[in-house]
C-alpha cells in the first residue's frame, strides 16, 4: 500500500452532517501531514461554512486510502 502524501486526494466518508441529519461524503486534497500522521485537508467543493467547520476537525492518515 502506498503511503499518503501531500497532494493526494482522499474520500472522507460522513465528513459532515446537515440540519436534516444527513451525512455527506466529501473529497479532499491533502495539504500537510505532520510526523504523527495528522493531516490538514483542503475541501474545495463545499460551502465556506462547511469548509470552516471541517478545518477544525482532525484527520489521521492511518484512517484513509489514496483515491
Amino acid at each position: 500500500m502506498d503511503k499518503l502524501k501531500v497532494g493526494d486526494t482522499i474520500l472522507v466518508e460522513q465528513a459532515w452532517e446537515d440540519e436534516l441529519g444527513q451525512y455527506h461524503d466529501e473529497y479532499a486534497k491533502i495539504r500537510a501531514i505532520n510526523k504523527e500522521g495528522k493531516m490538514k485537508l483542503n475541501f474545495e467543493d463545499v460551502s465556506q461554512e462547511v469548509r470552516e467547520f471541517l478545518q477544525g476537525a482532525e484527520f489521521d492518515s492511518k484512517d484513509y486510502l489514496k483515491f
Side-chain angles (χ1 to χ4, degrees), residues 5-35:
K5 62 185 181 311
V6 171
D8 286 345
T9 298
I10 62 171
L11 174 63
V12 180
E13 294 179 332
Q14 297 185 357
W16 61 282
E17 181 182 10
D18 65 22
E19 298 84 17
L20 299 175
Q22 297 176 335
Y23 287 93
H24 299 269
D25 298 343
E26 299 293 346
Y27 289 98
K29 193 166 277 197
I30 300 172
R31 293 184 315 160
I33 304 174
N34 71 16
K35 62 184 175 183

Side-chain angles (χ1 to χ4, degrees), residues 50-62:
V50 170
R51 184 177 297 113
E52 289 172 4
F53 168 76
L54 291 172
Q55 286 176 344
E58 190 170 276
F59 301 95
D60 195 321
S61 61
K62 70 177 173 53

Side-chain angles (χ1 to χ4, degrees), residues 29-47:
K29 193 166 277 197
I30 300 172
R31 293 184 315 160
I33 304 174
N34 71 16
K35 62 184 175 183
E36 289 84 29
K38 303 298 183 206
M39 299 184 294
K40 297 275 187 196
L41 303 176
N42 187 21
F43 293 88
E44 296 179 357
D45 296 328
V46 297
S47 70

